Amino acid sequence: QLQASGGGLVQAGGSLRLSCAASGHTLTFRRYAVGWFRQAPGKEREFVAAIRQNGGASFTADSVKGRFTISRDNAKNTVFLQTNSLKPEDTAVYYCAASQTIIQSSIRNPLQYSYWGQGTQVTVSS
């Protein structure tokens, strides 16, 4: 199971640190690629960032590149999404997802993830 947290209300230009904590398969968490996605009202779920298994390569969407950073702490079974310089258009529910079998070419595709957290709301005011 995945538990996303850390969302909230912040002014434009502010920062939030989102966390995605794993429970259950914690002994093998390092073998899971983890992605962050977001969904705003009336819009499709979109890729934000992802990190490969064992703390490998990370990927970020062009819309957040240079502002958001994904990282993981396998000892704590947690993946973080540091969001800086937030903009009103970043407002959305942010979800984390995990997959043990995903390949790099599919890492931006939400359909390739097996496990999903419940989401955490991020609201950025102008």
XYZ file of all heavy atoms in Angstrom, residues 47-87:
312
model
N 1.557 12.909 -15.937
C 2.834 12.538 -15.331
C 3.535 13.769 -14.783
O 3.543 14.825 -15.417
C 3.709 11.857 -16.384
C 5.126 11.647 -15.970
C 5.465 10.610 -15.122
C 6.133 12.493 -16.431
C 6.778 10.412 -14.735
C 7.442 12.304 -16.052
C 7.773 11.263 -15.203
N 4.135 13.603 -13.606
C 4.912 14.684 -12.998
C 6.386 14.290 -12.884
O 7.263 14.998 -13.363
C 4.367 15.044 -11.595
C 5.235 16.118 -10.937
C 2.919 15.510 -11.696
N 6.652 13.159 -12.258
C 8.034 12.731 -12.056
C 8.045 11.250 -11.709
O 7.031 10.703 -11.263
C 8.702 13.537 -10.947
N 9.197 10.624 -11.902
C 9.334 9.218 -11.564
C 10.785 8.914 -11.260
O 11.698 9.617 -11.728
C 8.832 8.332 -12.698
N 10.987 7.867 -10.492
C 12.335 7.431 -10.164
C 12.385 5.919 -10.287
O 11.460 5.208 -9.868
C 12.749 7.913 -8.757
C 14.224 7.634 -8.494
C 11.862 7.307 -7.672
C 14.789 8.389 -7.291
N 13.449 5.437 -10.875
C 13.559 4.019 -11.130
C 13.918 3.245 -9.872
O 14.224 3.794 -8.824
C 14.597 3.770 -12.221
C 14.155 4.277 -13.570
C 14.942 3.618 -14.678
N 14.675 2.173 -14.722
C 15.264 1.356 -15.575
N 16.153 1.822 -16.432
N 14.980 0.073 -15.582
N 13.873 1.915 -10.019
C 14.190 1.039 -8.918
C 15.604 1.287 -8.401
O 16.469 1.746 -9.135
C 14.087 -0.427 -9.378
C 12.703 -0.858 -9.809
C 12.412 -0.626 -11.275
O 12.933 0.306 -11.890
N 11.560 -1.463 -11.828
N 15.793 0.968 -7.132
C 17.119 1.048 -6.504
C 17.739 2.441 -6.590
O 18.962 2.555 -6.657
C 18.065 0.010 -7.125
C 17.605 -1.405 -6.837
O 17.288 -1.742 -5.701
N 17.550 -2.236 -7.865
N 16.874 3.482 -6.607
C 17.397 4.843 -6.633
C 18.108 5.178 -7.916
O 19.051 5.961 -7.939
N 17.636 4.604 -9.006
C 18.261 4.855 -10.289
C 17.842 6.174 -10.892
O 17.571 7.143 -10.198
N 17.772 6.194 -12.207
C 17.510 7.427 -12.931
C 16.149 8.016 -12.552
O 15.209 7.295 -12.213
C 17.547 7.158 -14.429
N 16.063 9.330 -12.599
C 14.808 10.019 -12.329
C 14.376 10.799 -13.567
O 15.213 11.118 -14.433
C 14.939 10.952 -11.129
O 15.912 11.943 -11.366
N 13.107 11.081 -13.641
C 12.527 11.743 -14.806
C 11.508 12.764 -14.315
O 10.792 12.513 -13.355
C 11.833 10.721 -15.705
C 12.691 9.543 -16.057
C 12.770 8.450 -15.211
C 13.440 9.539 -17.222
C 13.572 7.362 -15.499
C 14.245 8.451 -17.535
C 14.306 7.369 -16.679
N 11.454 13.899 -14.982
C 10.454 14.906 -14.629
C 9.800 15.439 -15.891
O 10.401 15.474 -16.960
C 11.078 16.082 -13.856
O 12.210 16.582 -14.585
C 11.505 15.679 -12.470
N 8.555 15.839 -15.754
C 7.831 16.427 -16.870
C 8.410 17.806 -17.187
O 8.917 18.503 -16.303
C 6.351 16.545 -16.525
N 8.319 18.199 -18.435
C 8.854 19.495 -18.848
C 8.198 20.644 -18.073
O 8.850 21.654 -17.792
C 8.638 19.695 -20.343
C 9.542 18.802 -21.182
O 10.537 18.276 -20.638
O 9.236 18.615 -22.368
N 6.934 20.470 -17.725
C 6.199 21.536 -17.052
C 6.712 21.819 -15.640
O 6.439 22.886 -15.085
C 4.706 21.188 -16.994
O 4.516 19.970 -16.305
N 7.441 20.879 -15.060
C 7.928 21.064 -13.691
C 9.444 20.982 -13.606
O 10.012 21.129 -12.512
C 7.295 20.044 -12.723
C 5.782 20.126 -12.770
C 7.772 18.626 -13.026
N 10.098 20.778 -14.713
C 11.549 20.632 -14.707
C 12.221 21.892 -14.153
O 11.851 23.013 -14.521
C 12.045 20.339 -16.119
C 13.463 19.798 -16.184
C 13.711 19.112 -17.528
C 12.911 17.838 -17.657
N 13.198 17.100 -18.919
N 13.179 21.668 -13.268
C 13.859 22.790 -12.630
C 13.164 23.290 -11.375
O 13.729 24.079 -10.614
N 11.933 22.842 -11.153
C 11.178 23.261 -9.957
C 10.885 22.091 -9.027
O 10.861 22.255 -7.809
C 9.853 23.922 -10.371
C 10.027 25.151 -11.239
C 8.693 25.868 -11.452
N 7.732 25.040 -12.174
C 6.529 24.702 -11.687
N 6.154 25.105 -10.491
N 5.698 23.970 -12.411
N 10.641 20.912 -9.579
C 10.307 19.728 -8.794
C 11.465 18.747 -8.846
O 12.100 18.572 -9.895
C 9.064 19.037 -9.345
C 7.768 19.786 -9.167
C 7.739 21.117 -8.786
C 6.562 19.146 -9.401
C 6.544 21.795 -8.628
C 5.353 19.808 -9.250
C 5.352 21.136 -8.872
N 11.690 18.063 -7.724
C 12.746 17.058 -7.649
C 12.206 15.823 -6.949
O 11.614 15.924 -5.869
C 13.957 17.585 -6.867
O 14.445 18.778 -7.489
C 15.079 16.542 -6.853
N 12.429 14.661 -7.558
C 12.006 13.407 -6.955
C 13.224 12.707 -6.372
O 14.309 12.749 -6.951
C 11.280 12.510 -7.985
C 10.654 11.293 -7.294
C 12.213 12.101 -9.120
C 9.732 10.487 -8.209
N 13.027 12.078 -5.217
C 14.116 11.343 -4.582
C 13.501 10.206 -3.774
O 12.289 10.176 -3.551
C 14.952 12.258 -3.682
O 14.153 12.791 -2.626
N 14.346 9.293 -3.335
C 13.827 8.182 -2.538
C 14.774 7.844 -1.415
O 15.997 8.010 -1.561
C 13.532 6.970 -3.420
C 14.723 6.284 -4.030
C 14.280 5.232 -5.062
N 13.422 4.224 -4.468
C 12.603 3.431 -5.168
N 12.533 3.548 -6.482
N 11.856 2.532 -4.564
N 14.209 7.340 -0.330
C 14.960 6.835 0.809
C 14.463 5.416 1.038
O 13.453 5.205 1.706
C 14.742 7.724 2.031
C 15.604 7.323 3.212
O 16.067 6.161 3.243
O 15.822 8.153 4.109
N 15.176 4.455 0.492
C 14.717 3.075 0.581
C 14.737 2.560 2.027
O 13.946 1.696 2.385
C 15.563 2.181 -0.316
C 15.268 2.412 -1.781
O 14.156 2.753 -2.161
N 16.274 2.243 -2.619
N 15.627 3.092 2.842
C 15.668 2.672 4.247
C 14.385 3.064 4.976
O 13.977 2.399 5.930
C 16.876 3.291 4.936
N 13.744 4.148 4.502
C 12.500 4.610 5.110
C 11.292 4.245 4.260
O 10.169 4.653 4.576
C 12.548 6.120 5.316
C 13.614 6.579 6.298
C 13.577 8.085 6.486
C 14.626 8.535 7.490
N 14.616 10.006 7.691
N 11.537 3.503 3.171
C 10.439 3.083 2.285
C 9.594 4.266 1.836
O 8.354 4.197 1.805
C 9.543 2.049 2.993
C 10.318 0.812 3.383
O 11.054 0.258 2.583
N 10.165 0.392 4.625
N 10.263 5.332 1.473
C 9.563 6.568 1.144
C 10.174 7.215 -0.097
O 11.397 7.189 -0.269
C 9.623 7.556 2.321
O 9.074 6.938 3.490
C 8.817 8.823 2.016
N 9.319 7.763 -0.931
C 9.738 8.571 -2.064
C 9.216 9.984 -1.828
O 8.081 10.169 -1.385
C 9.202 8.000 -3.385
C 9.419 8.984 -4.532
C 9.873 6.678 -3.704
N 10.060 10.959 -2.125
C 9.710 12.362 -1.895
C 9.573 13.111 -3.216
O 10.263 12.802 -4.193
C 10.790 13.041 -1.044
C 11.032 12.373 0.272
C 12.104 11.513 0.445
C 10.184 12.598 1.337
C 12.336 10.894 1.666
C 10.397 11.990 2.567
C 11.471 11.129 2.727
N 8.717 14.093 -3.221
C 8.620 15.030 -4.341
C 8.740 16.429 -3.761
O 7.816 16.918 -3.104
C 7.308 14.880 -5.102
C 7.178 15.770 -6.340
C 8.168 15.320 -7.423
C 5.752 15.766 -6.882
N 9.890 17.040 -3.961
C 10.102 18.405 -3.500
C 9.594 19.354 -4.575
O 10.068 19.310 -5.710
C 11.587 18.650 -3.241
C 11.909 20.061 -2.780
C 11.331 20.380 -1.414
O 11.403 19.559 -0.501
N 10.761 21.569 -1.267
N 8.626 20.168 -4.214
C 8.035 21.097 -5.170
C 8.383 22.520 -4.761
O 8.047 22.963 -3.674
C 6.514 20.924 -5.227
O 5.920 21.322 -3.990
C 6.137 19.477 -5.482
N 9.087 23.213 -5.636
C 9.501 24.595 -5.386
C 8.902 25.527 -6.440
O 8.473 25.084 -7.499
C 11.022 24.711 -5.404
C 11.699 23.877 -4.344
O 11.174 23.686 -3.243
N 12.878 23.358 -4.653
N 8.917 26.804 -6.144
C 8.421 27.817 -7.083
C 7.050 27.434 -7.627
O 6.810 27.475 -8.841
C 9.420 27.999 -8.227
O 10.687 28.368 -7.742
N 6.170 27.060 -6.729
C 4.856 26.588 -7.143
C 4.050 27.672 -7.835
O 4.151 28.863 -7.490
C 4.095 26.044 -5.933
C 4.558 24.661 -5.463
C 4.094 24.379 -4.046
C 4.067 23.587 -6.418
N 3.268 27.235 -8.798
C 2.424 28.127 -9.590
C 0.964 27.713 -9.421
O 0.684 26.546 -9.121
C 2.800 28.038 -11.066
C 4.269 28.312 -11.361
C 4.561 28.072 -12.836
C 6.025 28.325 -13.153
N 6.328 28.082 -14.594
